[in-house]
Amino acid sequence: MSDTTTLNKQESWGSRVGLILAMAGNAVGLGNFLRFPVQAVQNGGGAFIIPYIVCFLLMGIPMLWIEWATGRFGGRYGNHSTPFILDKMTKSNFWKYFGVFGIFTNIGVAAYYCYIESWTMAYVYHSIMQTFSAKTQAEVAAFFNSYVDVAYSTTGIPFEAVIFYIVCLALNTYILSRGLSGGVEKVAKIGMPLLILFGVFLAVRGLTLGDSGAPAGCADCNAYLGLNFLWEPKFESILDPKVWLAAAGQIFFTLSVGMGTIQCYASYVKSRDDIALNAMSAGFMNGFVEIVLGASIVIPIAVGYLGLDWVLDNAGFSMAFQTMPYLFAQWGPFLATMAGVMWFGLLFFAGITSSLAMGTPWMGFMRDEFNWSREKAAWSFGLVTLVMGLPTVFFYQQGVFDEYDYWAGTVSLVIFALAESLIFAWLFGIRRGWREINLGADIQVPTFYKPVLKYVTPSLLLVVFLSALVTPKGNDWEAAFSGKWELDASSIIGKIQHKGIVANRAYFSDVLESEVEGVVFNIGRTARRNRHLVEIAQQKTFYRSPAGVRLYEGEEAVDKSLLFDSLVVVKAYRIAPDKELLVKVGDKVEVGTPIAKGGFVNDIFYIDMARLLLMGLFIGICVLVYVATKKREREGKTGDEIVDETYPGDDYDVTNS
Amino acid sequence: MTTSALITMITVQGTVTLVTAYLFWRVLTTPPKPEPDSFADNDDVPR
């Protein structure tokens, strides 16, 4: 028996329920509460659920089976991370190095994900201290901006954002160092039930709020309006390709496929044990948290207090930190504290059960290949993640965080999942793959999934990838197919070309250019650091129905008098006090108009540095895989040694199991 | 809420809740495989 076998013999899951909770915890993340309801609202409300369920059944469940089966197959040969799992499946050097994505993605995502997790820790503290009571909505939103400004402290602790980040990362690392059953599984067993409990409490509040929180004069402040908008079927949207792409994207990200974490967790499952039922259980548990709890909290509560208009304009990730504390504060001190602790506690558990999963592929790799102890592997993960993550903390406002999220947390996942589905069905072979899924299965996997796994799932993933690669401007596929295919700034090609950066395109410049057009609405000084504040506004026109509810595309304003104009601040620049302003109130500015001079380091510099860091990480892991390969060759390891004593052999007929 | 929105919400949320509960019940009630299995908690001798 090799050293590798001896080492990993010590690592195992404590119980089947623990494994499923850990897998569900890996999938359940902040997106379940923040991304899903926003996607549903933006894509046809109740009708969004039809493409969502179809994509879940044709892409989500098959991908879960593929990753569970891939992982358990790899574990049989003593491999607990994707480079050598794919190597074993394909016998190809190329795919072995492609498997680096399964470690790279996790470190890249953990680097910024732990930062979000640290916000939830800090906000639990602030909820207990009742920091948000008596603050206006704008003040609560501004509080978040202060928090992520590293130089400013909201608690008196210097560099508190950095301190909370390091504490959060250290906590993750410590739990990882306790192993799967002693650390990860224990957290999942505590965290998931608490998450569901907190979620149920808040969801009941969201479902029963009605218009009881509506401020005087707000016609559309009613939680039921929010629920109605979320669930009212608009069947015409089913024919819109944009809706299908949004549903496929949501299924893809919510299940945490394409990361390498599921493979790593499943690699500790023995051949005799089930993966088919386990995968479905974990997948549906994630669906329950998303569809039942996630849809019943943020949107209805926010609409209940701020109105449907406001929510539709502002719905997004930032609501969790910039809006929810204000809404809870309306419930009185005791309930506000309780709701704050539950909301941010829920997000913390959603976050930590995912970030712990991100540590395990690196640990599995270092333990398998270099015989590192669990503690050494865990702390080395913490160190690498810290080095990668600190730039996201210090340069959050310069776009480093978003860059990590895009390349490591979005593009890499799609590429890796597409490759995995192709490898599983076409290189590993659907016959072997199907056998692997059914080995030890506690449920009968419907046979129609065999062609789905071979043709439908890879095709769907290919469509998701291509749509991300060449997303047309404004996500307008109709215009694109009619010949006007202008790339959107959010497309992969658009991102590579920095299409979203319309001004300040040099790393260093003497003048700061406006990134928007409009009118200089206000010039002042910021309270904390006495910086110049330049606010640029645009005139916007809104349409309302007689009931006061805003009308949307496809609906007609029945009366022209229902139109109204409003001056909206679209960009606020905070400029160091030693710089010289070049504009005054009332000036019209275009994109590229200089607004200040005195020497600037532009965001594009930080964005490109973030890309270099990510590339460096990827190359670094490739080098480690190369070193491990050479080490295996020196030690005479073929990779064919089976370390799972329960494997019944290649000739075993799974239909008899 | 309109009737169609209410029906959609109850149908979807109810179905997802029931399927999740059913699958979890299947997990809890399926007899464990003979040792050695993947799970340390039911080992005779701790690993």
Side-chain angles (χ1 to χ4, degrees):
Chain A
M1 196 176 280
S2 69
D3 290 345
T4 306
T5 315
T6 315
L7 266 171
N8 285 310
K9 186 85 177 164
Q10 298 157 12
E11 204 65 88
S12 65
W13 292 103
S15 65
R16 186 174 182 184
V17 170
L19 165 66
I20 291 170
L21 288 177
M23 279 285 195
N26 169 37
V28 172
L30 283 76
N32 291 58
F33 297 93
L34 303 170
R35 195 175 188 275
F36 171 75
V38 174
Q39 289 290 316
V41 162
Q42 290 172 350
N43 292 286
F48 175 75
I49 209 74
I50 296 170
Y52 177 90
I53 288 173
V54 171
C55 290
F56 178 62
L57 295 175
L58 296 183
M59 192 177 80
I61 291 287
M63 274 312 293
L64 288 176
W65 281 332
I66 287 174
E67 296 206 343
W68 277 76
T70 300
R72 189 180 61 176
F73 171 81
R76 187 177 304 147
Y77 297 91
N79 300 316
H80 301 88
S81 62
T82 49
F84 284 97
I85 294 178
L86 295 192
D87 181 51
K88 177 65 194 158
M89 287 174 83
T90 62
K91 290 284 177 198
S92 148
N93 262 330
F94 172 77
W95 292 114
K96 176 169 61 187
Y97 287 100
F98 202 88
V100 165
F101 272 109
I103 301 175
F104 158 80
T105 301
N106 291 289
I107 296 175
V109 174
Y112 70 85
Y113 204 80
C114 283
Y115 190 33
I116 308 175
E117 219 174 290
S118 73
W119 299 345
T120 64
M121 285 171 73
Y123 270 62
V124 166
Y125 166 81
H126 285 295
S127 298
I128 293 168
M129 301 307 288
Q130 301 191 338
T131 307
F132 306 113
S133 63
K135 273 190 164 55
T136 64
Q137 201 266 317
E139 285 170 339
V140 171
F143 180 89
F144 177 76
N145 294 328
S146 303
Y147 181 82
V148 293
D149 181 351
V150 172
Y152 180 71
S153 171
T154 60
T155 54
I157 304 167
F159 295 100
E160 65 172 323
V162 185
I163 301 288
F164 270 111
Y165 176 69
I166 292 172
V167 168
C168 183
L169 191 53
L171 179 67
N172 272 276
T173 308
Y174 171 73
I175 295 167
L176 283 169
S177 74
R178 306 293 299 166
L180 283 183
S181 59
V184 174
E185 191 177 330
K186 275 187 182 164
V187 171
K189 278 180 167 174
I190 298 167
M192 285 304 288
L194 274 178
L195 181 150
I196 291 172
L197 185 73
F198 291 173
V200 167
F201 172 84
L202 292 166
V204 167
R205 186 71 180 141
L207 293 172
T208 56
L209 185 64
D211 60 359
S212 61
C218 180
D220 64 345
C221 291
N222 187 333
Y224 297 133
L225 269 180
L227 287 169
N228 202 64
F229 200 86
L230 202 57
W231 292 106
E232 177 75 55
K234 294 195 184 85
F235 289 107
E236 67 277 9
S237 66
I238 295 177
L239 301 174
D240 187 348
K242 179 172 84 86
V243 175
W244 282 89
L245 284 172
Q250 179 59 26
I251 283 298
F252 186 82
F253 293 112
T254 189
L255 292 173
S256 294
V257 292
M259 290 192 75
T261 47
I262 294 174
Q263 294 91 326
C264 181
Y265 274 5
S267 69
Y268 297 97
V269 176
K270 289 191 187 300
S271 305
R272 174 184 288 168
D273 288 316
D274 164 89
I275 55 170
L277 176 60
N278 286 353
M280 282 194 77
S281 258
F284 266 91
M285 200 176 287
N286 176 71
F288 170 78
V289 172
E290 182 152 293
I291 296 170
V292 180
L293 302 182
S296 307
I297 300 177
V298 175
I299 299 290
I301 294 178
V303 173
Y305 287 99
L306 297 168
L308 190 58
D309 273 5
W310 188 95
V311 170
L312 294 171
D313 280 339
N314 297 281
F317 184 79
S318 61
M319 281 178 72
F321 300 93
Q322 296 187 318
T323 311
M324 294 307 277
Y326 166 74
L327 306 181
F328 297 148
Q330 313 309 306
W331 299 354
F334 176 71
L335 266 183
T337 304
M338 214 165 98
V341 169
M342 285 188 169
W343 172 244
F344 293 111
L346 167 158
L347 293 182
F348 174 73
F349 287 125
I352 197 164
T353 45
S354 301
S355 60
L356 287 173
M358 295 172 204
T360 50
W362 165 268
M363 288 176 65
F365 177 75
M366 297 311 281
R367 297 191 68 196
D368 289 346
E369 305 307 324
F370 301 104
N371 298 337
W372 281 18
S373 68
R374 186 197 287 153
E375 288 76 15
K376 190 174 171 184
W379 290 103
S380 64
F381 167 76
L383 186 66
V384 176
T385 307
L386 180 68
V387 170
M388 289 298 297
L390 282 178
T392 68
V393 180
F394 281 103
F395 306 116
Y396 172 81
Q397 286 160 327
Q398 283 80 9
V400 172
F401 182 102
D402 291 340
E403 210 58 22
Y404 274 44
D405 183 36
Y406 187 79
W407 294 109
T410 309
V411 175
S412 297
L413 267 62
V414 180
I415 293 173
F416 191 54
L418 172 61
E420 273 184 303
S421 67
L422 290 170
I423 289 170
F424 189 82
W426 294 90
L427 294 180
F428 188 60
I430 195 64
R431 192 186 59 78
R432 291 172 74 195
W434 186 251
R435 184 179 176 280
E436 196 60 49
I437 290 169
N438 284 284
L439 187 62
D442 286 334
I443 51 166
Q444 183 80 38
V445 180
T447 46
F448 80 85
Y449 266 111
K450 207 169 177 176
V452 167
L453 282 160
K454 189 167 183 181
Y455 302 106
V456 180
T457 307
S459 304
L460 277 172
L461 285 164
L462 187 65
V463 170
V464 171
F465 171 68
L466 290 177
S467 69
L469 186 71
V470 291
T471 316
K473 194 168 186 179
N475 220 353
D476 187 350
W477 291 90
E478 232 167 273
F481 284 120
S482 65
K484 292 178 212 157
W485 203 311
E486 192 185 339
L487 285 177
D488 194 74
S490 68
S491 65
I492 295 176
I493 295 175
K495 275 275 183 184
I496 291 170
Q497 295 173 334
H498 290 305
K499 272 181 83 82
I501 300 176
V502 289
N504 305 308
R505 288 182 64 91
Y507 285 169
F508 310 104
S509 61
D510 188 46
V511 294
L512 178 71
E513 299 164 348
S514 174
E515 291 148 314
V516 293
E517 64 173 23
V519 178
V520 179
F521 173 71
N522 175 40
I523 288 181
R525 291 278 184 167
T526 61
R528 285 186 285 108
R529 291 209 260 159
N530 197 34
R531 291 186 292 178
H532 295 292
L533 175 69
V534 179
E535 291 182 319
I536 296 173
Q538 285 175 359
Q539 199 77 21
K540 291 197 170 182
T541 303
F542 296 101
Y543 303 80
R544 283 189 183 279
S545 72
V549 178
R550 200 174 73 176
L551 298 173
Y552 295 92
E553 208 177 328
E555 297 175 319
E556 283 181 16
V558 288
D559 182 347
K560 291 282 181 194
S561 66
L562 297 173
L563 304 183
F564 71 96
D565 288 342
S566 179
L567 202 59
V568 179
V569 173
V570 290
K571 186 83 188 174
Y573 288 95
R574 289 166 184 81
I575 302 165
D578 60 321
K579 313 294 182 196
E580 183 189 339
L581 292 189
L582 301 174
V583 288
K584 57 185 185 305
V585 173
D587 282 358
K588 276 190 175 175
V589 292
E590 302 290 331
V591 173
T593 303
I595 54 174
K597 72 172 184 178
F600 297 88
V601 181
N602 293 317
D603 288 356
I604 193 168
F605 170 77
Y606 298 99
I607 287 169
D608 279 353
M609 290 306 110
R611 291 181 183 181
L612 277 179
L613 265 175
L614 290 171
M615 278 171 63
L617 175 67
F618 192 92
I619 293 167
I621 301 170
C622 282
V623 170
L624 282 176
V625 171
Y626 175 78
V627 172
T629 305
K630 292 293 161 196
K631 183 170 175 287
R632 282 185 172 216
E633 284 172 9
R634 278 198 308 277
E635 292 170 356
K637 283 185 189 171
T638 62
D640 293 331
E641 303 89 352
I642 292 180
V643 298
D644 177 359
E645 63 270 43
T646 71
Y647 182 56
D650 290 343
D651 300 329
Y652 182 74
D653 181 4
V654 292
T655 54
N656 294 332
S657 60
Chain B
M1 276 179 90
T2 61
T3 310
S4 57
L6 195 62
I7 290 172
T8 311
M9 186 177 93
I10 292 171
T11 309
V12 171
Q13 292 194 335
T15 308
V16 170
T17 306
L18 287 175
V19 174
T20 307
Y22 168 73
L23 291 171
F24 206 64
W25 172 80
R26 281 287 302 264
V27 167
L28 292 174
T29 55
T30 303
K33 302 278 165 60
E35 289 288 342
D37 67 359
S38 307
F39 310 109
D41 283 358
N42 58 359
D43 285 356
D44 297 331
V45 182
R47 283 182 230 184

